[in-house]
Amino acid sequence: MTTIDPEITAPPNSAPPALPPAPPAFEARGSGGSAPGNAGEAERVGGTAARPVRRRAGGDPVKALLHRHRELCERAVDPLEIAAGLEAHGITDRTAARFRHRDVFSLAEELYARSPHEEVAAAAPALVPAGPDAFRAVGYALLPAALACAAAAAGQAWAGAAAVTAVAAALVWPGRAAGGRFPYAAHVLAAAVAGWAVYRHGTALAVGLALAVVPGHLAAVAFAAGARARLDGSRALEDFADRARPLLLAAVALFTGAAAAAAALAGTPLPVAVPLALLLFLTRLLLRHGAHRAPVGAALALALVPVPAAALAAVAGLLVHAVLALARASAHARP
């Protein structure tokens, strides 16, 4: 008779042995599953795990630039004013690329559009000055010639000094040179240069310089108007510079011919009168367009040296400085 071990074979009516407890459900960890707290985020992306949103590192660089130059942008009458101001602060077309713009003019247009501006009912000023102020300026330019010619014809001893004072005021004044504590130092130096030259070469030189004041005034006005027109039609700083340099050289050539004619009428030697007139004319242009006075003062101081070639060297150096400084858009912004 076979004996069955009760531990091996259970009785027919007995319940099956209890199974061990099931292991806990698998919990998703890391990026492979969805934790209960991330269920809503998973539902927002269609049941799949959402990727972390990457923030822009740069933010809004134009907004930062707008805050830095807020005063310039708010008082500008057009984007060109902002472009000129940005260039004066050292921002070039290459710098504008970091602000996602192709050039400074495009960047200035966005800054102007994002800045609050007061409504201006008046029309934009004309490129060529007109009206009573323009005629008054021409009248002021005529005074030195009239005073010098009248005093020289009367044979007055003070004719040279009076002409020098009038010429220095008419050729150099007014100026808005940038920086420095002594705004009239360049005007005093210009008067000293003209006075020293007239003292050495006679009253006829003062008359020749006085006759050149009107052509100098007209050439300066024409250059300013032409540069402003080219600024309105330019789309890049290099484009404006390429257009402004020939205009400046044309104005200098025009004034050179007028100064030579004035010197011939006054009976003074051309090698003395023309370089001196050009020096004063370039001084007027640079100061009027906000150039720094250091190169201007250095050129005027060099002209005081009693050497014939000193005036020519001063004119050459100041002309190079003018070609570089007056080809900048910031030199032709509306005051």
Side-chain angles (χ1 to χ4, degrees):
M1 183 175 181
T2 304
T3 303
I4 299 175
D5 191 349
E7 294 181 2
I8 299 177
T9 304
N13 298 329
S14 64
L19 296 175
F26 176 77
E27 294 181 0
R29 295 181 180 179
S31 59
S34 298
N38 297 332
E41 184 176 353
E43 292 175 0
R44 287 194 298 268
V45 293
T48 59
R51 295 182 180 180
V53 180
R54 183 178 298 174
R55 295 183 179 179
R56 294 174 61 185
D60 187 358
V62 178
K63 184 177 180 180
L65 189 66
L66 180 63
H67 179 73
R68 191 180 312 152
H69 302 285
R70 182 179 60 183
E71 183 179 355
L72 168 66
C73 297
E74 290 181 355
R75 64 180 174 83
V77 297
D78 55 27
L80 296 175
E81 294 295 327
I82 299 179
L86 293 178
E87 188 205 29
H89 285 86
I91 297 178
T92 62
D93 291 338
R94 182 174 299 178
T95 310
R98 299 206 300 263
F99 297 94
R100 305 183 183 93
H101 283 273
R102 64 182 181 275
D103 50 43
V104 174
F105 285 83
S106 176
L107 177 61
E109 288 176 351
E110 180 177 349
L111 291 174
Y112 183 80
R114 295 173 63 172
S115 302
H117 299 279
E118 298 180 358
E119 294 295 332
V120 180
L127 292 177
V128 179
D133 292 340
F135 289 108
R136 191 180 301 114
V138 175
Y140 290 156
L142 288 171
L143 285 179
L147 179 62
C149 292
Q156 298 295 326
W158 48 266
V164 164
T165 304
V167 165
L171 278 179
V172 181
W173 197 275
R176 59 179 185 95
R181 295 177 54 190
F182 306 101
Y184 306 118
H187 304 133
V188 174
L189 270 175
V193 168
W196 175 240
V198 169
Y199 174 78
R200 289 188 298 159
H201 300 283
T203 307
L205 176 60
V207 175
L209 294 177
L211 292 175
V213 170
V214 172
H217 172 76
L218 297 178
V221 170
F223 169 71
R228 184 66 196 182
R230 283 159 175 76
L231 181 61
D232 291 339
S234 299
R235 294 302 308 169
L237 297 178
E238 290 82 0
D239 182 27
F240 171 74
D242 293 339
R243 294 182 177 188
R245 292 189 188 103
L247 182 65
L248 173 64
L249 296 178
V252 170
L254 178 65
F255 177 76
T256 302
L265 288 176
T268 187
L270 268 65
V272 175
V274 173
L276 185 59
L278 272 175
L279 182 64
L280 295 176
F281 175 68
L282 292 173
T283 298
R284 182 192 191 280
L285 281 182
L286 287 168
L287 295 183
R288 180 63 186 88
H289 290 278
H292 288 278
R293 290 189 302 274
V296 176
L300 292 174
L302 178 60
L304 288 172
V305 178
V307 176
L312 288 174
V315 169
L318 203 57
L319 180 60
V320 172
H321 176 61
V323 169
L324 297 177
L326 299 181
R328 295 171 57 88
S330 56
H332 305 279
R334 293 187 182 96

